[in-house]
Amino acid sequence: MIRDVPFITQKGWTGATTCETGSVCTVANAFYSQCLPGTASTTIGTTSGATTSTVSTSTRTRYVPTRTAINPAKGFDFGCNSDGDCSAGAAYPPLTQYYGADGAGQMSHFVNDDGYNTFRLPIGWQYLTNFVLGGPLDPTMMTEYDALVQACLTTGAYCIIDIHNYARWDGEIIGQGGPTNEQFASTWSAIAAMYQNETKVIFGVMNEPHDLPDINLWAGTVQAAVTAIRNAGATTQMILLPGDNWTSAETFVSNGSAAALAQVVNPDGSTTNLIFDVHKYLDVDNSGTHSECTTNNIVSSWEPLAQWLRCNGRQAFNTEAGGGYDDPTCFTNMCQQIAYQAQNSDVYLGYVGWAAGNFYTGYVLSELPVESGTTWTDVPLVSMCMAPNAGAQKGSTGL
């Protein structure tokens, strides 16, 4: 039912690696560089939006692109890496007015041609508050981010607001030595107040927490966010509750995430529209960094989790999954995973594919459609398997 649209590029990019004449490659940090007006020239940047920079932590690796622009927007998706550190100037929104891809056109295609009904829209916490912990929402950033949200809502789809910080701010874990629960909740309160009347906005509390010292303390952090969202007036929308270990579906029960998050409630004591947020890739180490899909995850992950969900009267949403866009192993395994979730729709609301938007078309997990005039052409994995119209599944993609 969902999928992300960040700005990523493929490791091993072999295209151009120099900035255009009149621009200089400006290094923001070890993970991000950008072509900006200047007199020098290096071989790091590329006008096509691709680099070979790698962000690596634990078992997860993501690839961060370089974008060329005079007036860059920032903060979207991989503006932050997996220790919650964010760098000014990183990551553009996938909107043409901000020098990004035509995310609005992609979403329209995914809805009208493929039958998708949900998009996940990542944003870094620091950018939301202009790098002031506990500060108010930054008007400039929220204008840019809201433009993406409104482009999503215009399609009639559900739109997941996803704070993409891995349970951290600059390496420190929320509620466990880092930012306080109150500081995190204040950001969610402001966001929820902004979208309280948008019935198709879904609140994704946090992308992929990992290596949490205490899962019960994390549940307290999630509770603070849920209470803030509901008290801000967003009383009926879905809220996604993420667990530890990159919110892996395989370990959601065994690592205590399910039991701890089951205690999170709405202000009235109910659990209505509090949905467990789980992720699961299909490659050999569940990292989402290989094109091959070695498993359909059914026996290892989806069957055990389905049993727990039924026994406890809860539901989950697979908001991040993907595989090699033209790899036959993924055509088989991904289709089987999607079919299983569709057959168990009483506990699984759907799935979100990773990734489209500003991703480079050669990125190993790209679901980016190719535009030619007024025609959009999907990658094989989408057209054969992930698009709901391909098999009447419940699905979405992320921008």
Side-chain angles (χ1 to χ4, degrees):
M1 188 178 158
I2 258 183
R3 187 45 225 140
D4 281 45
V5 179
F7 322 7
I8 291 300
T9 188
Q10 182 187 23
K11 184 177 181 180
W13 163 252
T14 58
T17 56
T18 57
C19 292
E20 293 179 334
T21 302
S23 295
V24 60
C25 181
T26 303
V27 180
N29 59 26
F31 310 108
Y32 178 80
S33 301
Q34 174 183 337
C35 291
L36 292 173
T39 58
S41 178
T42 72
T43 59
I44 300 177
T46 168
T47 59
S48 66
T51 67
T52 57
S53 301
T54 301
V55 179
S56 180
T57 176
S58 186
T59 61
R60 301 303 297 275
T61 304
R62 294 296 192 211
Y63 307 108
V64 183
T66 297
R67 303 291 298 180
T68 300
I70 302 301
N71 180 26
K74 58 189 183 297
F76 289 70
D77 193 61
F78 288 103
C80 302
N81 59 43
S82 57
D83 68 356
D85 178 62
C86 305
S87 299
Y92 294 59
L95 293 169
T96 55
Q97 65 264 42
Y98 296 119
Y99 301 91
D102 184 9
Q106 289 180 34
M107 286 189 281
S108 179
H109 155 69
F110 282 131
V111 170
N112 296 327
D113 299 334
D114 290 341
Y116 285 114
N117 63 3
T118 310
F119 299 96
R120 186 165 175 249
L121 312 174
I123 184 73
W125 184 11
Q126 284 91 324
Y127 299 100
L128 289 170
T129 64
N130 197 24
F131 288 79
V132 177
L133 183 59
L137 296 179
D138 178 66
T140 300
M141 172 52 70
M142 288 311 297
T143 295
E144 297 166 357
Y145 186 69
D146 183 58
L148 184 61
V149 174
Q150 296 305 322
C152 174
L153 290 170
T154 296
T155 69
Y158 287 89
C159 309
I160 298 176
I161 294 176
D162 164 44
I163 295 185
H164 214 80
N165 276 70
Y166 307 89
R168 290 158 168 78
W169 175 294
D170 293 348
E172 300 296 329
I173 298 173
I174 307 166
Q176 301 188 48
T180 65
N181 290 347
E182 290 75 19
Q183 289 169 325
F184 184 52
S186 70
T187 297
W188 269 119
S189 178
I191 294 172
M194 185 172 177
Y195 295 107
Q196 61 180 296
N197 296 319
E198 295 289 356
T199 59
K200 289 197 169 183
V201 162
I202 299 172
F203 301 103
V205 168
M206 177 59 63
N207 175 71
E208 294 188 343
H210 63 89
D211 300 293
L212 301 175
D214 191 320
I215 189 60
N216 291 302
L217 287 179
W218 172 246
T221 298
V222 174
Q223 178 67 74
V226 168
T227 300
I229 291 168
R230 295 302 191 216
N231 287 344
T235 58
T236 61
Q237 295 95 326
M238 283 189 283
I239 302 177
L240 305 179
L241 316 182
D244 198 4
N245 191 31
W246 314 92
T247 202
S248 169
E250 184 171 0
T251 60
F252 201 80
V253 174
S254 63
N255 68 19
S257 295
L261 293 171
Q263 304 307 309
V264 175
V265 296
N266 293 309
D268 64 3
S270 73
T271 59
T272 304
N273 279 336
L274 300 184
I275 309 300
F276 293 132
D277 189 0
V278 296
H279 292 178
K280 198 71 177 79
Y281 283 96
L282 294 82
D283 54 352
V284 65
D285 59 359
N286 189 43
S287 66
T289 60
H290 307 89
S291 61
E292 300 83 5
C293 295
T294 61
T295 176
N296 60 23
N297 293 313
I298 293 173
V299 173
S300 66
S301 305
W302 301 119
E303 286 182 345
L305 181 56
Q307 181 178 3
W308 189 95
L309 293 168
R310 287 194 182 96
C311 288
N312 290 273
R314 302 302 295 268
Q315 294 177 312
F317 197 161
N318 179 16
T319 64
E320 195 171 310
Y325 60 89
D326 62 355
D327 195 305
T329 62
C330 295
F331 304 158
T332 299
N333 285 294
M334 181 63 77
C335 285
Q336 290 172 350
Q337 174 173 287
I338 290 173
Y340 178 83
Q341 291 175 343
Q343 292 161 5
N344 292 270
S345 59
D346 59 317
V347 291
Y348 294 125
L349 297 186
Y351 58 91
V352 176
W354 183 273
N358 272 353
F359 274 90
Y360 163 58
T361 55
Y363 168 55
V364 66
L365 303 184
S366 177
E367 295 175 16
L368 184 67
V370 177
E371 181 182 13
S372 178
T374 59
T375 301
W376 294 87
T377 302
D378 288 314
V379 299
L381 184 63
V382 170
S383 62
M384 295 176 65
C385 188
M386 298 196 76
N389 288 350
Q393 293 93 339
K394 293 181 178 179
S396 304
T397 195
L399 257 75

